Amino acid sequence: MIISSNSANQIAPIKRIAAIDIGTNSFHAIIVDVYSDGSFRTLDKLKEMVEMAKGGMGKRLSEGAFKRGLSALKNIKRLADSYECEKILAYATSAIREAENGGEFIQKSIDEVGIKMLAIPGRVEAELIGLAVRHGMKLTEKPALVADVGGGSVEFIIGNDSDFFYLASKKIGVSRMTEIFKPSDPITEDNIQKLQAHYEEELRDVAQAFAQHRTDTIIGSSGTMENIAQMIAARKNIPTDVTLNELEFSAEEFKEFYDYFIKLNRKERKKVTGLETKRVGFINTGVVLVDYLIRKFGIRKIRISSQALREGIVIRYLKKEMIGLPWTGEMSDPRRRSVFELLRKTDWHENHSRHVANMALTIFDALENELELNETDRELLEYAAYLHDIGYYISHSKHHKHALYIIRHADLKGFKEEEIEIIANVARYHRRSTPKKRHGEYWKLKPAIRKRIKKLSGILRIADGLDRSHYQNVKDLQVYSGDKEIKINIRTEGEPYLEIWGAERKSDLFKEMTGKKLKIERIIEAGMG
């Protein structure tokens, strides 16, 4: 049975805030709009490489560090002011909290920039990172080990989709380790062994916690892990144009990268695609750490979170300070929650879109095995059906192309890049032209992804045609697949001619993907004319 629901009103932002992660190597800022349903949307980001600990961790911040830090904060303040942010949340981590003159830097930030920052303890930093990762990634009941590799410290979180079992901050960040061990260039086997011995000593309680909550997965966040992921993605020609979030690679793929990368000197490292120039001098200690963690804990796969402390700051604000706001929205699954947050912000045509989604899934279920599709394809089709008309938010004209753009740039959470591409392209091809070679963005995708898009688009086009009036005239449908023909029987409230015409005129792609004719007939029930 096809079920529709009442349309929801579009929600508007209620506050605009800036969140700043004042780290050891870099300052990260995001500008976000906060919504009444507890969600937030990132408007802009800024990263400033500052190397606050240059000259030694746990000592006095140098005059150069003061200047670099204050200059970065002034740039961030200008950005926040340009967006007319009502509040700036700034949290300082290990470089500031450990420095003898960290308090002086905090005061100068207030006096010279107008930003008041909080120096948070390591355990709080770990908790905020954990909140951000859980918000932005698809987790399950099975635990995962989160490693946020910073300049001064590395935060470790063991948790799942509902609980944190272990939170800790360890003073083994890449800048700190580079400063203490001063590895050769290229790094030597002796350097590596000394680093590994130090990691072994420092991570004893992490190993104990891990023994109680075993997992085969590391989730990496922050700059070092993102740079490692970018380098591996570049080596394997994996696109990261839309998002780095949920990028996954195996322990074997990391080992292949490690064996190549660890032999490079500074000049050679500078040429590696994906590595930021300012990380060239201290990336090796992070690469050795990741290698150690993989071998020590028997890790089989590494996933990347694009969300870290800065998003955690926003989430904490929503939870703790805006009392009563349902910060998680109404759904714990980040994928579904993220899609519905986007729908509410673009004033979606809810009745029509839910109706089309239900019909599309009915057709999918009847043809899943025949078309060699799976449950993930079903989920992506559902989201594409919900989102297919959000281009109206920009303009009625070419709204299918606007939908493609909005979805690709909406920063949807919990999805891999290829999944976002599938949703966006299926929504784009719900009307007008079917996929063509001249469509550059589509044709850049891998052949297997293009084929999935065509199959799902073929189904969505039929479902959308069956609600051509947008009045949900089709109340039920059954799908029968024969050797040469697919028959769809529909039960309607009124005359079915518009719906049958709407589906048949968009059926070419469906026929191409199934290799069969399509026949749509109205079910005539007793007592109906």
Side-chain angles (χ1 to χ4, degrees):
M1 180 64 69
I2 307 300
I3 301 171
S4 297
S5 67
N6 295 327
S7 180
N9 293 325
Q10 179 188 354
I11 60 171
I14 59 174
K15 185 172 283 193
R16 181 168 292 172
I17 64 175
I20 313 170
D21 165 9
I22 299 172
T24 300
N25 288 325
S26 56
F27 293 180
H28 292 259
I30 55 171
I31 310 296
V32 304
D33 273 346
V34 174
Y35 291 79
S36 59
D37 66 346
S39 66
F40 62 92
R41 182 169 74 96
T42 301
L43 303 176
D44 207 343
K45 296 181 180 182
L46 180 63
K47 180 174 72 173
E48 295 274 320
M49 294 295 291
V50 291
E51 297 181 273
M52 291 295 289
K54 201 169 187 179
M57 288 290 301
K59 302 177 182 178
R60 292 182 62 81
L61 296 171
S62 68
E63 184 178 343
F66 259 70
K67 289 181 179 178
R68 291 191 299 274
L70 291 173
S71 175
L73 287 175
K74 287 174 183 176
N75 289 338
I76 292 169
K77 181 66 161 55
R78 278 192 286 270
L79 179 69
D81 288 346
S82 73
Y83 278 98
E84 300 181 344
C85 292
E86 299 174 50
K87 194 171 187 64
I88 297 177
L89 308 169
Y91 284 23
T93 58
S94 57
I96 306 299
R97 67 178 175 244
E98 294 178 27
E100 294 175 8
N101 56 347
E104 295 174 32
F105 182 80
I106 291 173
Q107 189 60 49
K108 275 190 175 292
S109 172
I110 296 171
D111 296 340
E112 296 186 17
V113 187
I115 292 178
K116 182 179 180 180
M117 66 182 71
L118 298 175
I120 57 173
R123 192 178 187 283
V124 172
E125 186 178 352
E127 182 180 8
L128 295 181
I129 292 164
L131 288 173
V133 170
R134 183 189 291 163
H135 177 268
M137 298 191 74
K138 186 173 178 61
L139 303 181
T140 65
E141 293 180 358
K142 184 179 178 181
L145 171 64
V146 178
D148 186 278
V149 183
S153 62
V154 178
E155 280 61 55
F156 290 96
I157 305 102
I158 302 177
N160 60 12
D161 59 353
S162 60
D163 295 297
F164 298 138
F165 309 118
Y166 176 82
L167 297 164
S169 180
K170 299 296 179 181
K171 296 180 179 181
I172 56 171
V174 292
S175 293
R176 189 192 301 268
M177 293 296 92
T178 301
E179 182 71 27
I180 292 173
F181 287 91
K182 296 180 172 56
S184 303
D185 187 41
I187 193 169
T188 66
E189 187 59 34
D190 181 61
N191 296 150
I192 294 171
Q193 289 178 4
K194 287 178 179 177
L195 279 167
Q196 291 172 342
H198 185 72
Y199 295 147
E200 181 80 21
E201 181 67 27
E202 290 292 313
L203 300 181
R204 290 188 186 280
D205 59 331
V206 178
Q208 291 172 1
F210 185 88
Q212 298 176 34
H213 305 283
R214 290 194 173 277
T215 178
D216 64 356
T217 302
I218 286 178
I219 295 175
S221 60
S222 289
T224 295
M225 293 297 290
E226 289 183 343
N227 265 215
I228 290 172
Q230 289 279 21
M231 289 188 284
I232 291 174
R235 281 173 61 82
K236 300 187 70 64
N237 293 317
I238 298 172
T240 56
D241 298 333
V242 175
T243 184
L244 195 63
N245 200 53
E246 288 285 6
L247 179 70
E248 182 178 308
F249 51 92
S250 67
E252 291 77 14
E253 288 169 327
F254 175 82
K255 183 65 166 61
E256 178 186 332
F257 160 77
Y258 177 88
D259 289 343
Y260 149 78
F261 186 80
I262 208 68
K263 300 172 185 176
L264 305 180
N265 61 32
R266 184 185 185 91
K267 185 176 181 181
E268 292 167 332
R269 291 195 297 275
K270 280 186 177 181
K271 298 177 182 178
V272 178
T273 304
L275 178 59
E276 295 178 33
T277 301
K278 290 192 175 181
R279 295 185 186 276
V280 167
F282 49 77
I283 189 71
N284 270 340
T285 54
V287 172
V288 172
L289 173 62
V290 175
D291 179 63
Y292 170 82
L293 294 173
I294 288 173
R295 291 185 294 100
K296 173 70 176 179
F297 298 134
I299 298 299
R300 297 178 62 185
K301 61 183 177 180
I302 301 91
R303 297 166 63 193
I304 299 299
S305 168
S306 62
Q307 295 203 156
L309 179 59
R310 55 197 179 274
E311 287 82 12
I313 294 170
V314 175
I315 293 169
R316 182 185 186 278
Y317 178 75
L318 293 174
K319 288 184 67 177
K320 303 289 186 183
E321 299 187 42
M322 296 188 73
I323 304 299
L325 204 62
W327 75 274
T328 57
E330 58 192 43
M331 303 159 194
S332 59
D333 176 9
R335 292 157 74 99
R336 183 166 290 268
R337 183 189 66 234
S338 189
V339 167
F340 274 83
E341 287 173 358
L342 176 58
L343 289 167
R344 286 192 291 266
K345 290 163 190 171
T346 50
D347 195 19
W348 67 311
H349 296 190
E350 184 174 356
N351 286 342
H352 168 68
S353 297
R354 285 189 183 274
H355 192 68
V356 168
N358 285 330
M359 291 191 290
L361 295 180
T362 299
I363 298 170
F364 178 98
D365 291 342
L367 302 176
E368 177 179 1
N369 294 333
E370 183 176 330
L371 291 176
E372 298 180 339
L373 297 169
N374 56 42
E375 278 301 302
T376 299
D377 294 314
R378 188 182 196 276
E379 180 190 18
L380 300 181
L381 173 62
E382 179 184 9
Y383 295 149
Y386 289 150
L387 293 162
H388 76 279
D389 273 346
I390 63 170
Y392 282 119
Y393 184 69
I394 297 176
S395 169
H396 181 280
S397 175
K398 300 181 181 179
H399 70 268
H400 54 302
K401 294 183 180 180
H402 298 319
L404 171 75
Y405 179 86
I406 293 172
I407 295 167
R408 291 187 84 240
H409 295 87
D411 195 23
L412 293 175
K413 300 297 187 295
F415 296 96
K416 298 177 182 178
E417 169 145 335
E418 67 180 35
E419 293 175 324
I420 293 175
E421 291 286 13
I422 290 171
I423 295 171
N425 279 277
V426 172
R428 181 256 189 271
Y429 290 116
H430 82 274
R431 70 189 289 266
R432 295 292 180 92
S433 174
T434 56
K436 300 286 192 301
K437 281 189 177 182
R438 66 174 183 270
H439 299 163
E441 290 297 321
Y442 166 80
W443 205 252
K444 285 195 304 185
L445 301 173
K446 295 178 181 177
I449 301 300
R450 297 202 301 266
K451 192 170 184 179
R452 289 169 71 186
I453 289 169
K454 291 180 75 172
K455 290 176 181 178
L456 298 180
S457 298
I459 293 172
L460 181 58
R461 291 169 75 89
I462 298 298
D464 187 52
L466 287 172
D467 196 38
R468 182 67 178 80
S469 67
H470 283 222
Y471 284 106
Q472 297 81 61
N473 187 32
V474 175
K475 297 305 177 185
D476 197 7
L477 60 82
Q478 293 91 39
V479 182
Y480 305 95
S481 181
D483 293 336
K484 297 182 179 180
E485 179 183 81
I486 293 174
K487 185 176 181 181
I488 299 179
N489 288 340
I490 58 174
R491 183 173 61 83
T492 62
E493 183 175 351
E495 295 295 339
Y497 306 119
L498 181 59
E499 286 71 32
I500 293 175
W501 172 80
E504 287 183 342
R505 69 189 288 266
K506 298 168 67 175
S507 65
D508 286 354
L509 187 57
F510 183 82
K511 294 174 183 176
E512 177 189 340
M513 299 316 297
T514 61
K516 298 178 182 180
K517 295 179 181 179
L518 175 66
K519 186 175 184 179
I520 303 173
E521 289 186 345
R522 182 189 186 189
I523 301 171
I524 304 297
E525 297 180 346
M528 292 180 61

